[in-house]
Amino acid sequence: MLIRNPANPIITPQMVKPSAEGLKVVGTFNPAATVYNNEVILIMRVAETCIKKPGFISIPYFDFSTDKSFLSVLDVPEKDPDVKLKDTRGILYKGREYLSSVSHLRLARSKDGVNFIINEKPFILPYDETESFGVEDARISHIGDDYFINYTVVSSDGYATFLSKTKDFKHIERLGIIFPPLNKDVVIFEEKVNGKYIALHRPDNHGFGLPSIWYADSPDLTHWGNHKCLLRPRANQWEMKKIGGGAPPIKTKQGWLEIFHGKGENNMYSLNLLLLDLEDPSKILAVGEKPFMFPETKYEKEGFFGNVIFTNGHIVMPDGSIKIYYGSSDEHICMAETSIEKLLQLL
Amino acid sequence: MLIRNPANPIITPQMVKPSAEGLKVVGTFNPAATVYNNEVILIMRVAETCIKKPGFISIPYFDFSTDKSFLSVLDVPEKDPDVKLKDTRGILYKGREYLSSVSHLRLARSKDGVNFIINEKPFILPYDETESFGVEDARISHIGDDYFINYTVVSSDGYATFLSKTKDFKHIERLGIIFPPLNKDVVIFEEKVNGKYIALHRPDNHGFGLPSIWYADSPDLTHWGNHKCLLRPRANQWEMKKIGGGAPPIKTKQGWLEIFHGKGENNMYSLNLLLLDLEDPSKILAVGEKPFMFPETKYEKEGFFGNVIFTNGHIVMPDGSIKIYYGSSDEHICMAETSIEKLLQLL
């Protein structure tokens, strides 16, 4: 049903140049995908940490003091009384919070969808202090002449979803936060339905239910409303902890086909299918009974954070075949192929 | 500077008729306010619980089984093995979650702003299961011929902000969730600024910073975007736990004047002032150094939840005086008077 590419993982941290000296890439994962100029374009999440220097705690941070932000390294003597380790991921230095690893978005392109040329420099970096903990997990929606890129911006205010657009994957126009904290896993449909743009999103509802997939619509892609909860995780199932959208849904004769992820027992992330009504995507037509894809191979079970398959990008070919790009174990990028027809048969 | 009305609290639970037999009103607080037909209109939050019956746990719940929802009572024998008390506020019965007290919105009107005629029936009840834990804390924005009413809808999906509108305070048109979970304390400006509607909102950012006041704008009042964090609680101050908007801001020559609440030490809620730029309300011109109003009287210090002053409604008179309606101790409705001029002098 599903064929994992024999070259998997097709992109590894070793293949990605760090943003600056003193840094090392620890993860390149969760890529958005589209086709542009006859090439497959990936916008990958690249996570970097500092190379350990004896006697120092080295902290990666985005420097916003000049016109253009950049990733830099702050070296603090280990014995400095102003430095405190908060937990495994957080560092407190002189009252300011830092993360031990931070992410930006990087571009890669390929003629065959398997062998990628990876840009040496970041494509999207945090813009200012409101994105100081990094930018993560992009999705690309190709609408008209524009490629709309949404991604998670993280700071001490929380995580939110930001929208930018490009026509050429060189110049980027920033359009603002479209879903305020705490909200991620946003997928924007690639065409209007009944005159409105449609998105799925995933607000956090800490203290109430479990993080669920919500519906919203928009007149202009930047202002969203008419929010409705579409699908909730079920107890004692593969997705019992949370669910969230993947890439923009695929339009089929049967309905909008969405590949989504769920987090279950032992923090395992798997992929399942959701079919939404063509005319009214706030109506669910079908949900897969169980995941069609879950961690099975070594590169999906082991890594920076093992047992994770997460997708936010795929390419549908004219013959109905589909290349699903996915992050494995929060460390690598992989690809698996199947067809729309085979996916629909699972529903 | 500020004169509390001698008749305070002007509305108490004893003055409000329960929605149904078997219920008692435990709180009537946090009213939205506006002027309609030469009367002051309040949309009050009314919290009800069940009258205790020996041998039973009585649970208030909204019944959605017929065309029009209504508040009802479920009597469960105390020894029923299917009933579980979750915490002081939650009850689990046959796998379904209930609250020990639930809120709806009730209308009251007055010629003098002090003596109110209180409707005997609910004005806004939860509409369906997505509002099953109740509706709370309304704000009224008078725009053109319409009164836009936003309020918090609560369910196991979390709390979110819903928008409805009315022209006559009889017929209500539902416009949908405008800020998805977890989001409340929404105030919508009563006129457009630079062609856009403006709101302040308060997303929860659990696990990151403290709940802060955010800015958003909209082309149509139902779709919101361009979200920006405006004001954050400061450490070790009166508002150190969280802050949130009050009623729609007052347009003054100096700027948009917003009365907002903060939660501080010992869970005390007080009120402070915020001045926003007339032309660009995402710019802060001034913030009050300390609260101009905090719990001082017996009815503000004692009650269902003592030490709380919370406002989401006020009336500005043609002479520049202002009647601030507020909930005290999550139990009563009170009113205090001052003037715009005096408030501006504090900034």
Side-chain angles (χ1 to χ4, degrees):
Chain A
M1 207 295 284
L2 189 83
I3 298 163
R4 283 165 167 84
N5 195 279
N8 276 352
I10 57 172
I11 302 180
T12 64
Q14 294 72 36
M15 297 159 74
V16 180
K17 199 178 163 188
S19 304
E21 260 188 69
L23 293 167
K24 71 174 168 198
V25 175
V26 289
T28 172
F29 54 117
N30 300 4
T34 194
V35 174
Y36 172 73
N37 265 356
N38 294 315
E39 289 186 312
V40 175
I41 299 272
L42 298 184
I43 300 179
M44 323 181 296
R45 173 174 171 185
V46 172
E48 290 170 285
T49 187
C50 291
I51 296 167
K52 175 79 186 133
K53 294 189 189 83
F56 287 90
I57 293 172
S58 298
I59 308 169
Y61 75 101
F62 297 102
D63 189 320
F64 303 111
S65 62
T66 57
D67 266 13
K68 230 182 145 184
S69 63
F70 59 93
L71 187 47
S72 192
V73 175
L74 181 68
D75 290 321
V76 183
E78 269 173 357
K79 291 178 181 164
D80 191 322
D82 282 334
V83 69
K84 287 189 188 76
L85 299 180
K86 250 189 91 184
D87 50 46
T88 53
R89 293 198 59 207
I91 299 155
L92 213 60
Y93 180 61
K94 292 190 172 170
R96 203 190 139 156
E97 218 175 326
Y98 296 89
L99 299 183
S100 59
S101 77
V102 291
S103 292
H104 69 272
L105 301 174
R106 188 82 66 100
L107 214 85
R109 56 197 172 81
S110 168
K111 295 277 183 208
D112 62 8
V114 177
N115 297 288
F116 280 85
I117 296 165
I118 299 164
N119 278 14
E120 299 206 343
K121 301 224 159 138
F123 176 55
I124 296 179
L125 274 168
Y127 183 76
D128 61 21
E129 289 290 348
T130 70
E131 306 177 354
S132 62
F133 290 175
V135 291
E136 305 176 353
D137 299 351
R139 273 88 174 169
I140 305 172
S141 297
H142 184 196
I143 304 173
D145 289 341
D146 291 305
Y147 293 84
F148 289 88
I149 305 164
N150 82 64
Y151 49 95
T152 312
V153 290
V154 193
S155 76
S156 55
D157 291 327
Y159 58 82
T161 299
F162 197 94
L163 186 65
S164 288
K165 72 173 179 180
T166 184
K167 283 186 195 300
D168 55 10
F169 290 94
K170 282 176 196 148
H171 306 91
I172 297 165
E173 188 183 339
R174 287 168 57 83
L175 301 173
I177 289 181
I178 52 172
F179 292 95
L182 297 170
N183 206 318
K184 54 162 76 173
D185 293 331
V186 171
V187 300
I188 298 174
F189 289 43
E190 295 186 290
E191 60 182 270
K192 283 188 182 181
V193 181
N194 292 320
K196 292 177 297 189
Y197 295 105
I198 310 290
L200 305 177
H201 60 106
R202 214 285 301 281
D204 184 84
N205 54 358
H206 178 90
F208 290 84
L210 295 164
S212 303
I213 295 177
W214 283 61
Y215 164 99
D217 60 45
S218 171
D220 58 9
L221 289 166
T222 53
H223 300 85
W224 294 88
N226 203 13
H227 305 275
K228 290 171 192 166
C229 187
L230 266 195
L231 187 67
R232 302 169 181 89
R234 298 161 304 170
N236 307 316
Q237 300 284 332
W238 68 278
E239 85 287 20
M240 57 188 273
K241 290 192 180 173
K242 57 184 173 183
I243 54 175
I250 302 153
K251 193 176 188 179
T252 73
K253 279 183 190 159
Q254 285 84 339
W256 295 99
L257 181 66
E258 173 68 12
I259 302 174
F260 70 102
H261 69 265
K263 183 180 179 180
E265 233 176 340
N266 302 320
N267 299 323
M268 184 165 88
Y269 279 75
S270 310
L271 302 181
N272 198 354
L273 299 168
L274 174 63
L275 194 68
L276 301 174
D277 189 89
L278 275 185
E279 292 299 309
D280 177 5
S282 74
K283 265 195 214 157
I284 292 179
L285 300 180
V287 184
E289 213 181 284
K290 52 178 192 184
F292 71 94
M293 192 172 174
F294 53 90
E296 285 184 274
T297 65
K298 190 170 181 335
Y299 54 83
E300 291 162 351
K301 290 182 147 182
E302 293 171 20
F304 189 79
F305 201 86
N307 272 323
V308 172
I309 285 182
F310 186 100
T311 186
N312 43 315
H314 48 55
I315 305 292
V316 178
M317 311 301 280
D319 65 356
S321 67
I322 175 173
K323 291 188 202 316
I324 300 172
Y325 293 93
Y326 62 100
S328 73
S329 300
D330 276 9
E331 183 168 332
H332 318 101
I333 290 174
C334 301
M335 196 264 278
E337 285 180 274
T338 180
S339 73
I340 306 302
E341 202 188 332
K342 285 178 188 156
L343 290 177
L344 286 172
Q345 277 166 5
L346 296 175
L347 288 170
Chain B
M1 207 296 285
L2 189 84
I3 299 165
R4 283 166 167 86
N5 194 277
N8 275 352
I10 57 172
I11 303 179
T12 63
Q14 294 73 38
M15 297 160 72
V16 180
K17 200 180 162 183
S19 302
E21 261 187 68
L23 292 168
K24 70 173 168 198
V25 175
V26 289
T28 171
F29 54 118
N30 301 3
T34 193
V35 174
Y36 172 73
N37 265 357
N38 294 315
E39 289 187 312
V40 175
I41 297 272
L42 298 184
I43 300 180
M44 321 180 299
R45 173 174 171 186
V46 172
E48 290 170 287
T49 187
C50 291
I51 296 167
K52 175 81 186 133
K53 294 189 189 85
F56 287 90
I57 292 172
S58 297
I59 308 168
Y61 74 102
F62 297 101
D63 189 321
F64 303 111
S65 62
T66 57
D67 265 13
K68 231 184 144 180
S69 64
F70 58 93
L71 186 48
S72 192
V73 174
L74 181 69
D75 290 321
V76 183
E78 269 174 359
K79 291 176 181 168
D80 191 322
D82 283 335
V83 69
K84 287 190 188 78
L85 299 181
K86 251 188 89 185
D87 50 46
T88 53
R89 293 199 59 205
I91 299 156
L92 212 62
Y93 180 60
K94 292 190 173 168
R96 202 190 140 155
E97 218 175 324
Y98 296 89
L99 298 185
S100 59
S101 77
V102 291
S103 292
H104 70 271
L105 301 174
R106 188 84 66 101
L107 215 85
R109 55 197 171 81
S110 169
K111 295 275 183 210
D112 63 5
V114 176
N115 297 287
F116 280 86
I117 297 165
I118 300 163
N119 278 14
E120 299 206 339
K121 301 221 158 141
F123 176 56
I124 296 179
L125 275 167
Y127 183 77
D128 61 21
E129 289 290 349
T130 70
E131 305 177 354
S132 63
F133 289 175
V135 290
E136 305 176 354
D137 299 351
R139 272 91 174 168
I140 305 173
S141 298
H142 184 195
I143 304 173
D145 290 341
D146 291 305
Y147 294 84
F148 288 88
I149 305 165
N150 82 64
Y151 49 94
T152 311
V153 291
V154 194
S155 76
S156 54
D157 291 328
Y159 59 83
T161 298
F162 197 94
L163 187 65
S164 288
K165 72 172 179 179
T166 184
K167 283 186 195 299
D168 55 11
F169 291 94
K170 283 175 194 148
H171 306 91
I172 297 164
E173 188 184 337
R174 287 169 56 83
L175 300 173
I177 288 179
I178 52 172
F179 292 94
L182 299 168
N183 206 318
K184 55 161 76 172
D185 294 331
V186 171
V187 299
I188 298 173
F189 288 44
E190 295 187 289
E191 59 182 89
K192 284 187 182 181
V193 180
N194 291 320
K196 293 178 295 190
Y197 295 105
I198 310 291
L200 305 178
H201 60 106
R202 214 283 303 281
D204 185 85
N205 55 358
H206 178 90
F208 290 84
L210 294 163
S212 304
I213 295 177
W214 283 62
Y215 164 98
D217 61 44
S218 170
D220 58 9
L221 291 166
T222 54
H223 299 86
W224 293 88
N226 203 15
H227 304 276
K228 290 170 191 165
C229 188
L230 267 196
L231 187 66
R232 302 169 181 91
R234 298 161 303 170
N236 307 317
Q237 301 285 331
W238 68 279
E239 85 286 19
M240 57 187 271
K241 291 191 179 172
K242 56 183 171 182
I243 53 174
I250 302 153
K251 193 176 187 180
T252 73
K253 279 183 189 159
Q254 284 84 337
W256 295 99
L257 180 65
E258 173 69 11
I259 302 174
F260 71 101
H261 68 264
K263 183 180 178 180
E265 233 176 338
N266 302 320
N267 299 323
M268 184 164 89
Y269 279 75
S270 311
L271 303 182
N272 198 355
L273 298 168
L274 175 62
L275 194 68
L276 302 173
D277 189 88
L278 275 184
E279 292 300 309
D280 177 5
S282 74
K283 265 195 215 157
I284 292 178
L285 300 181
V287 184
E289 214 182 285
K290 54 178 191 189
F292 71 94
M293 193 174 173
F294 54 89
E296 287 185 272
T297 65
K298 190 172 181 339
Y299 54 82
E300 290 163 353
K301 290 182 149 183
E302 294 171 20
F304 190 80
F305 201 86
N307 273 322
V308 172
I309 286 182
F310 187 99
T311 187
N312 43 315
H314 49 55
I315 304 291
V316 178
M317 311 303 278
D319 65 356
S321 67
I322 175 174
K323 289 186 200 320
I324 300 172
Y325 292 93
Y326 63 100
S328 73
S329 300
D330 275 12
E331 183 167 331
H332 318 101
I333 289 174
C334 300
M335 193 263 278
E337 285 180 274
T338 180
S339 72
I340 305 302
E341 203 188 331
K342 285 177 188 156
L343 290 177
L344 286 172
Q345 278 166 4
L346 296 175
L347 287 169

